[in-house]
Amino acid sequence: MSRPRSRTTPGIGRSELLLVAGTTTVFLLLLVTWAYVNPALHGPDEVANVDAVVHLALGQPWPATGDLHYVQGLLAQNVPAHLPPAVQRGTFADIIGDGTLNPRGNPMSQHPPTYFLVQAAVAHLIDFGSRRWDLVVLVMRLVDVVVAAPLPVLVWASVRRATRSPRLAVAAAAVLLAVPQVVQLASSVSLWVPVITAGALATWLAVRVLTGDRSWLTAVALGGALSVGTAVMAGGWMAVPFALVTVLAARRSVRAAREVVGRVLRALVVLAVPVVTTGWWYARQFIRTGSPQPDPFAPVTKQWPAGEGPDPVQFGGTFWNGISDSFWGQLGRYEWPLSPIIVDSATVIALTAVVWAASRRTVDRRTMLVVGVFPATALVVVLARDWATYVGHLSVRVDQGRFLFPALAALLVVQAVGWRGLVVREQVRVRLARAVLVVAPLIALAALGLLYVGSFEEFVFRVSAAGKQTLWDSLPVGRGVLGGLVVLTAVVGAATAVSLWRWFGRRTAPAPATAPARLPADRRTDH
């Protein structure tokens, strides 16, 4: 049974729901705009994902790891320069032709075919062979947009449950606009999208368990959220340690041995669901190849010259720049990074807040520690992978910031808990929340500008007649749709921003003077 909500916990009013709906709508419109403007196949690893879908849509079986090769006709559309005008693009049947394969291997064969089967079913529903190929890619992108649409709601629900602060929860949802890499990835054809949403869902359910929800239904649902991620890719398993820790570290209602047994049983249920439903795939891969996720390419190892070896300082600098760039925004096909001023400032502020909050007794450090297991696990995975690459290949190119995206909701919970404990003055809290309303849309606009100049202006910061014409020719169904999206996003965004600005400034009862870390979760409250 779940713990009943305390009377001091703020209820969810109509105005808050409308503001969450407005924030979610703006996020959704931004995703649709990205999906429409970004040239087809120019998303991160998009050609590999679309190619894997095409193989299954053509009725081919899912090959063994390393045996999937690109369809030559599709790969030919992945040109580094501008795509031909939309009216000159052929159907999928035209570009596939006789199905000739390119010798180049497609790395998607290392993953389960789950995501690609779903997209292949969608392709069949729209009779993809007779449709223009870029329109089919657009439909696949919109499927991912729908999958990613709940992200602001899940972030809001997770932060609200962890902090009991409606203001902080809505502001955290708006922060998603300030992470352009998530926006680009969620509006591309990418198997990461369902894993990101599943990670956010798992975060919300885990935070419920951590703050006192002891229902078996929540435990089973948490296991189900893990299963969605692990059914798509091995990266989904990064959420499992976090889920188990939250169940075992949940707040106690009574000090009894039976509660300890109950926690262990719930943890076993949470673990059993993904193991039973998807573990067989990884067990089969391990039996066949010796690895649960084998490398699709033949291993190549280089030897360090005599007297030389890995340099942790050099690796650390490269890792810092690569992970921060590819987390905040390395747009296109990892071609166009956001300004280092934005990236480094955001990274330093976020890390400073966490470290500072961890040193303060007024902060709920327990929640920060437990929820932080999720992003910490992802970071360790990326660090281990990139260090192994560096040692074996004598160089490293870090672009794995997306590994942190399944834990994005958890990262925002950690940030929210930390800022809530650090900032106690009501006026400062209002100013910080309003700052999010200014900074997040500006970063989103800057990212759209970077997409435009990178895709249509040869990465020259200008708006030329030739660049605009290239954009108009590139749009799948004309400029009218883009104009409608821009106007609708601007109107809904402005209305939501004004409403949030006013709502953030509402006066509320002062928060309890007692340190939040020493109070039961259901009694902590502020606006």
Side-chain angles (χ1 to χ4, degrees):
M1 178 178 294
S2 177
R3 176 183 293 187
R5 190 176 63 187
S6 168
R7 292 181 180 179
T8 59
T9 301
I12 303 175
R14 180 183 177 185
S15 60
E16 184 181 356
L17 286 177
L18 289 175
L19 292 171
V20 173
T23 304
T24 303
T25 303
V26 173
F27 181 72
L28 179 60
L29 288 171
L30 184 61
L31 293 184
V32 174
T33 302
W34 266 90
Y36 190 67
V37 173
N38 195 19
L41 304 181
H42 283 216
D45 301 319
E46 193 166 38
V47 65
N49 284 270
V50 174
D51 179 79
V53 173
V54 169
H55 280 279
L56 294 178
L58 293 174
Q60 300 173 7
W62 192 244
T65 300
D67 291 343
L68 184 66
H69 295 272
Y70 285 100
V71 175
Q72 177 60 44
L74 178 64
L75 192 61
Q77 312 307 312
N78 187 38
V79 292
H82 306 301
L83 294 175
V87 294
Q88 299 178 14
R89 298 169 194 164
T91 66
F92 242 115
D94 292 334
I95 68 170
I96 290 175
D98 61 0
T100 300
L101 299 180
N102 188 283
R104 179 182 172 186
N106 185 337
M108 293 300 126
S109 59
Q110 67 182 322
H111 303 297
T114 313
Y115 169 80
F116 309 111
L117 283 170
V118 173
Q119 287 283 23
V122 172
H124 273 292
L125 285 175
I126 63 173
D127 190 19
F128 79 103
S130 64
R131 307 292 180 185
R132 216 173 67 210
W133 71 267
D134 61 311
L135 292 177
V136 176
V137 172
L138 177 60
V139 171
M140 293 181 185
R141 286 178 170 183
L142 293 179
V143 171
D144 279 1
V145 167
V146 172
V147 173
L151 282 176
V153 177
L154 292 171
V155 169
W156 164 75
S158 300
V159 173
R160 198 180 198 279
R161 179 79 182 189
T163 65
R164 295 299 187 262
S165 171
R167 178 197 292 137
L168 199 51
V170 178
V175 169
L176 289 173
L177 303 177
V179 191
Q181 192 70 30
V182 168
V183 175
Q184 177 181 245
L185 195 61
S187 58
S188 303
V189 184
S190 174
L191 79 168
W192 277 95
V193 177
V195 180
I196 293 169
T197 303
L201 177 60
T203 298
W204 171 56
L205 293 168
V207 169
R208 289 189 61 87
V209 173
L210 183 64
T211 54
D213 187 340
R214 299 183 303 281
S215 71
W216 286 99
L217 179 61
T218 302
V220 173
L222 178 55
L226 299 178
S227 296
V228 172
T230 57
V232 174
M233 64 187 305
W237 291 98
M238 294 187 298
V240 173
F242 159 66
L244 296 179
V245 169
T246 54
V247 173
L248 294 173
R251 297 188 182 276
R252 292 179 290 182
S253 58
V254 292
R255 295 180 181 273
R258 64 180 182 179
E259 178 154 350
V260 175
V261 174
R263 290 187 192 188
V264 173
L265 291 177
R266 288 184 182 86
L268 290 175
V269 168
V270 169
L271 178 62
V273 175
V275 168
V276 171
T277 55
T278 67
W280 62 270
W281 169 270
Y282 300 97
R284 187 184 69 166
Q285 290 284 76
F286 182 80
I287 292 172
R288 288 181 173 181
T289 67
S291 171
Q293 180 175 290
D295 193 329
F297 303 116
V300 177
T301 303
K302 299 179 181 180
Q303 297 295 325
W304 287 85
E308 297 184 20
D311 182 356
V313 175
Q314 180 190 28
F315 174 80
T318 304
F319 185 82
W320 168 272
N321 292 329
I323 199 73
S324 55
D325 281 342
S326 58
F327 176 86
W328 293 104
Q330 202 166 26
L331 307 182
R333 290 167 285 198
Y334 306 111
E335 304 163 277
W336 315 311
L338 285 177
S339 166
I341 297 175
I342 296 176
V343 171
D344 291 339
S345 297
T347 305
V348 170
I349 290 172
L351 292 177
T352 301
V354 171
V355 173
W356 188 12
S359 67
R360 298 288 296 273
R361 297 184 61 186
T362 56
V363 175
D364 188 356
R365 292 179 292 187
R366 177 179 174 276
T367 298
M368 287 184 64
L369 178 63
V370 174
V371 179
V373 169
F374 196 175
T377 301
L379 192 61
V380 168
V381 169
V382 177
L383 189 63
R385 285 168 54 99
D386 289 335
W387 176 258
T389 300
Y390 175 53
V391 171
H393 296 78
L394 284 67
S395 64
V396 59
R397 177 175 179 263
V398 182
D399 57 7
Q400 307 292 340
R402 62 187 181 274
F403 273 70
L404 290 170
F405 291 154
L408 185 57
L411 278 168
L412 290 171
V413 168
V414 171
Q415 285 287 315
V417 173
W419 282 104
R420 181 181 180 274
L422 292 174
V423 181
V424 295
R425 292 181 57 190
E426 181 72 7
Q427 288 182 338
V428 179
R429 288 180 173 180
V430 171
R431 290 170 184 169
L432 288 175
R434 286 175 169 172
V436 170
L437 293 182
V438 176
V439 174
L442 287 178
I443 293 178
L445 287 173
L448 281 171
L450 188 60
L451 172 65
Y452 170 77
V453 299
S455 299
F456 308 110
E457 295 284 3
E458 315 300 341
F459 205 55
V460 178
F461 288 85
R462 65 188 178 188
V463 178
S464 67
K468 288 189 293 184
Q469 189 59 50
T470 304
L471 170 62
W472 305 146
D473 291 341
S474 174
L475 297 175
V477 288
R479 68 181 75 177
V481 174
L482 177 59
L485 285 170
V486 170
V487 171
L488 188 57
T489 304
V491 171
V492 176
T496 303
V498 170
S499 300
L500 281 171
W501 187 278
R502 294 174 177 174
W503 188 74
F504 283 159
R506 285 170 46 184
R507 295 184 62 84
T508 59
T514 309
R518 299 180 182 179
L519 287 175
D522 288 343
R523 289 183 59 195
R524 297 198 311 273
T525 177
D526 70 342
H527 181 72

